[in-house]
Amino acid sequence: MTTRATAPRPPVRGWPELADADLLRTLVETERRRRQLDAAMRAAVAEAERRGLAADTGYRDTAELLTDLLRISVHEARRRLGCAVPQGRTRSRKVWKVLAAAS
């Protein structure tokens, strides 16, 4: 098992005193953690949608559930749903023309 060095947790008012190397480590570690949290949120939103949790709990749809539960805007709730749930993509006209020409 490898040991990973974690970024130091600087005091709220201590940013100016933080050494450059520690600040760089803090930036990298914070981004790593943010990405992990984003991935966890996408997975949770996708699972809530898959289960139909909104209907089961009296909400019109998952966006409304997220808006109420997480105290976020409808726009943000829909954005999160869009990131979490794969959307069916339609082919562009250009692709259809290429396919038609090829047949």
Side-chain angles (χ1 to χ4, degrees):
M1 182 171 146
T2 60
T3 303
R4 179 185 287 210
T6 59
R9 295 184 186 266
V12 174
R13 297 172 206 232
W15 291 106
E17 292 81 29
L18 196 62
D20 290 352
D22 290 336
L23 180 56
L24 292 171
R25 277 193 293 278
T26 298
L27 287 167
V28 170
E29 181 64 18
T30 301
E31 180 62 17
R32 184 186 69 75
R33 290 177 185 171
R34 189 191 64 77
R35 288 178 184 182
Q36 286 177 332
L37 287 172
D38 284 349
M41 179 59 77
R42 281 191 306 273
V45 169
E47 183 63 14
E49 177 73 3
R50 187 190 70 75
R51 291 184 187 188
L53 218 63
D56 292 348
T57 54
Y59 290 94
R60 181 179 55 235
D61 56 23
T62 305
E64 185 179 271
L65 169 93
L66 295 174
T67 299
D68 190 42
L69 184 67
L70 304 178
R71 303 289 185 225
I72 58 176
S73 69
V74 173
H75 174 77
E76 176 63 16
R78 288 188 181 131
R79 187 192 69 76
R80 290 185 188 190
L81 268 167
C83 291
V85 179
Q87 305 296 316
R89 295 186 181 197
T90 60
R91 292 184 177 183
S92 70
R93 290 179 189 244
K94 207 179 260 187
V95 171
W96 284 115
K97 286 179 185 177
V98 169
L99 291 174
S103 53

